[in-house]
Structure formats: C-alpha cells, structure tokens
Amino acid sequence: MSGILNSYPATASIFRLPSVRRQGTRTGTNRVFFASTGSDSLTSISPPSNFKAPEPKPFFVRPDKILDIIGSSLPLILRLGTGALVSGYSVQIVAANEVPSDQYATGFAGFKFKETSKIGPRPEKPIEIYEFEGCPFCRKVREIVAVLDLDVLYYPCPKNGPNFRPKVLEMGGKQQFPYMVDPNTGVSMYESDDIIRYLVGKYGDGNVPLMLSLGLLTTLTAGFAMIGRMGKGSSYTPSKLPPKPLEIWAYEASPFCKVVRESLVELEIPHILHSCARGSPKRQVLYEKVGHFQAPFLEDPNTGIQMFESAEIVEYLKITYAL
C-alpha cells in the first residue's frame, strides 16, 4: 500500500462528464506524490521511548476526556445514528453458550447479540478520499462509507495542509472537498451527493439511506453535528509525513473513533480506514487478528505499534508525528 502513498500514477487520458472525472488506464509512469514536502519529511519514524500499548478497556472514558467524548457524541443524536449500522443490519439474541468462543459477539446478562448485514460488491482496492473532519459534506461521505462497510484510503486535507490540498487542485482543478478517486474504475469526482450515489450504485444496493437523501436538511444536520467539537479536525498541525499510511479500524458514528480521526486529519497523516460499524464482518476479522474487538484500533506500519484506547492513540500520534 505504500506505493499508493508515495506516488500518484499518471493517467493516459482524461475527459469530463457532469460532476465526474473519468480517468483512462493508469500506467506505470509515476509522478511525485507529495506536493510541497521535501525528502526530509520522509525520514524513518520511531515509537515513543519506553512506549507500551495500553490494555483495551471497553466503554471506558478517561476522566480528562469526558467533555471530548460528550462533544463527539452529539452527531449520534442529530444524525439519528447514521453510520452506526451497516446496510441490511439485523441482530439475533441468543444464549451466550450458543456462540463459539472464537466468534465475535457482544454480550449482556448471559446473552449474546449475533449481528449480520447485507453488503454489496467489494472493491479490490481501497477507495481514495481527500477530505477533512470538520466538513459537513465530508461527513456525509464518511457516513455512507460506514453504511457500505468500505475500506478507504483517506488523504486528510486540513486547512493550510501542505501536501494533499494542492494535490486535489492538481488532479481535479479546484480545492473542493470531498474529492473521491476510485482506483478500481478510474472514476474521480467532487460533490458529496454525487459521491454517495456513485458508491451506493457501485458497492451497495443502489438505495441512498434516508438520512443521506434529505438534501439541505442532511447538510444542515451534518453541520450542526460538529458544534460539539468546535472546528476540531479542520486545521493543520505541522507534522512528519509517514512513509506508509497508518491503518485504523473505526467507524463514523463512534465518538471514540471521531477524536482519533480528528488528530489524524490535523496531523495530515494518510490512513487506511477499515470501516467496522455494527454488523460489519470486519469485526470478526479484527477479533481473529488480535483476540478482541474494540474501535478504534490503530496499526502503525512505520513503528510496529498496534493499540486500542482513543485517548492514548491521540497522545501516541502527537508524540510520534507532530513537529
């Protein structure tokens, strides 16, 4: 995946359709990806001295982070939980002893909740999206990513960010967000509603969820949902650009995931998001991978660090990547 980060393959031909830029076959001729960063930024990354990943503590909120989590929970109310459930979500309540120990399922009072969903075709390569956290139009696209259970390579574009905002201007002709590139089809486009319709048509059942189909009301509620965080995830913090994108298991509706995403955006750190809303089969994948499911979960291929716990992940990112 580092090849995606280090260079952007040139295209053979480009021609416009309304709101869509279709690209010809990608060739092996590469252009330098980073727009304004010298080679010094691509130095090796080391974990903090004597760093030890914390033990996962489900639903635990560190006392100094209570207000952050409360503010990050506001979208759950204003957006009616959009992005919390994968498309076609269903749940079956069974006795705890009916679920094998190697199978992920949440439990309560001697019962387990077996969650399933109905997902569409899977893209071979992650969708690439240029966006930033404090943008209501970007939030709409992140919500459909969660509903469709897609993996996405996010290129954060905070205000004054030196790397990926200029790249969007170079690729699409204007600095407008979100901007999507689908390397599986060669399609790229601006406009959140067009992106949503494209994704549900290509990787879903073709139906846009109600809370994403209300026009101005959708945009207004997505905007009001950000009031609790007062512009977090919007402005650039000088940072070291990692040689490889980080990987995070998260989903849009989680307040714990939101505070981590804010830091990733502010530090302009490219990351592959493995979307894992309720009903996602990727919850089982992570459970098998590390013996536990909890979101967010961070994997940093540049340092070898793997960790749970949102507050500690934010601290790790700042110590490791902020200048």
Side-chain angles (χ1 to χ4, degrees):
M1 194 61 66
S2 60
I4 296 176
L5 183 61
N6 290 330
S7 63
Y8 186 84
T11 56
S13 62
I14 298 176
F15 60 93
R16 285 190 178 276
L17 293 177
S19 301
V20 178
R21 181 180 292 264
R22 292 188 179 273
Q23 302 175 339
T25 304
R26 296 176 179 231
T27 70
T29 303
N30 293 331
R31 294 181 293 175
V32 176
F33 187 92
F34 300 116
S36 60
T37 305
S39 59
D40 290 344
S41 295
L42 295 177
T43 56
S44 61
I45 306 294
S46 300
S49 179
N50 300 319
F51 179 82
K52 182 179 180 181
E55 291 295 322
K57 300 180 285 291
F59 304 110
F60 172 78
V61 181
R62 216 169 67 182
D64 62 323
K65 300 298 181 182
I66 291 176
L67 292 180
D68 287 341
I69 297 304
I70 291 175
S72 298
S73 300
L74 184 60
L76 277 171
I77 301 171
L78 292 176
R79 297 292 299 139
L80 301 182
T82 307
L85 306 176
V86 177
S87 180
Y89 175 84
S90 64
V91 60
Q92 181 183 9
I93 302 175
V94 300
N97 59 11
E98 293 184 26
V99 179
S101 60
D102 61 351
Q103 182 175 326
Y104 165 77
T106 55
F108 179 76
F111 293 93
K112 289 284 183 77
F113 302 93
K114 298 181 67 175
E115 300 166 294
T116 59
S117 59
K118 297 178 181 179
I119 57 177
R122 300 293 83 189
E124 181 180 349
K125 302 174 184 177
I127 308 300
E128 301 169 18
I129 298 178
Y130 296 74
E131 55 91 59
F132 62 100
E133 187 70 24
C135 165
F137 303 100
C138 299
R139 180 182 177 87
K140 291 160 56 179
V141 172
R142 295 195 303 267
E143 287 179 349
I144 199 62
V145 164
V147 171
L148 297 177
D149 199 42
L150 296 173
D151 285 355
V152 169
L153 174 54
Y154 281 110
Y155 290 108
C157 299
K159 295 174 183 177
N160 301 317
N163 296 299
F164 305 121
R165 276 187 171 246
K167 193 64 191 177
V168 170
L169 178 61
E170 179 186 337
M171 290 190 297
K174 54 185 176 180
Q175 285 194 9
Q176 178 178 309
F177 306 96
Y179 181 71
M180 183 211 73
V181 177
D182 186 345
N184 303 282
T185 62
V187 170
S188 58
M189 64 178 70
Y190 293 99
E191 300 298 338
S192 57
D193 289 339
D194 290 344
I195 293 172
I196 290 169
R197 284 191 288 268
Y198 170 81
L199 291 175
V200 298
K202 190 70 177 177
Y203 303 111
D205 61 5
N207 297 312
V208 177
L210 175 63
M211 285 299 292
L212 287 168
S213 63
L214 301 178
L216 180 60
L217 182 59
T218 293
T219 302
L220 288 175
T221 55
F224 289 140
M226 295 184 292
I227 291 175
R229 295 301 291 149
M230 300 298 288
K232 294 286 187 181
S234 295
S235 298
Y236 175 65
T237 297
S239 61
K240 294 176 285 187
L241 199 59
K244 299 178 182 179
L246 278 60
E247 299 190 37
I248 183 167
W249 302 69
Y251 59 104
E252 180 61 21
S254 165
F256 299 97
C257 297
K258 181 172 178 59
V259 295
V260 172
R261 271 267 311 160
E262 288 171 351
S263 290
L264 287 166
V265 170
E266 291 171 353
L267 295 169
E268 206 184 21
I269 299 175
H271 52 282
I272 300 169
L273 186 141
H274 301 289
S275 188
C276 51
R278 303 208 71 91
S280 170
K282 278 173 278 187
R283 293 192 168 212
Q284 177 66 29
V285 174
L286 182 58
Y287 186 80
E288 294 175 357
K289 182 182 181 75
V290 297
H292 179 74
F293 176 83
Q294 182 176 312
F297 177 71
L298 179 75
E299 297 179 277
D300 188 344
N302 305 289
T303 63
I305 294 297
Q306 299 183 348
M307 60 188 299
F308 293 101
E309 294 303 318
S310 59
E312 284 79 3
I313 291 175
V314 170
E315 291 174 350
Y316 165 82
L317 292 173
K318 291 179 178 179
I319 293 172
T320 306
Y321 290 101
L323 293 176

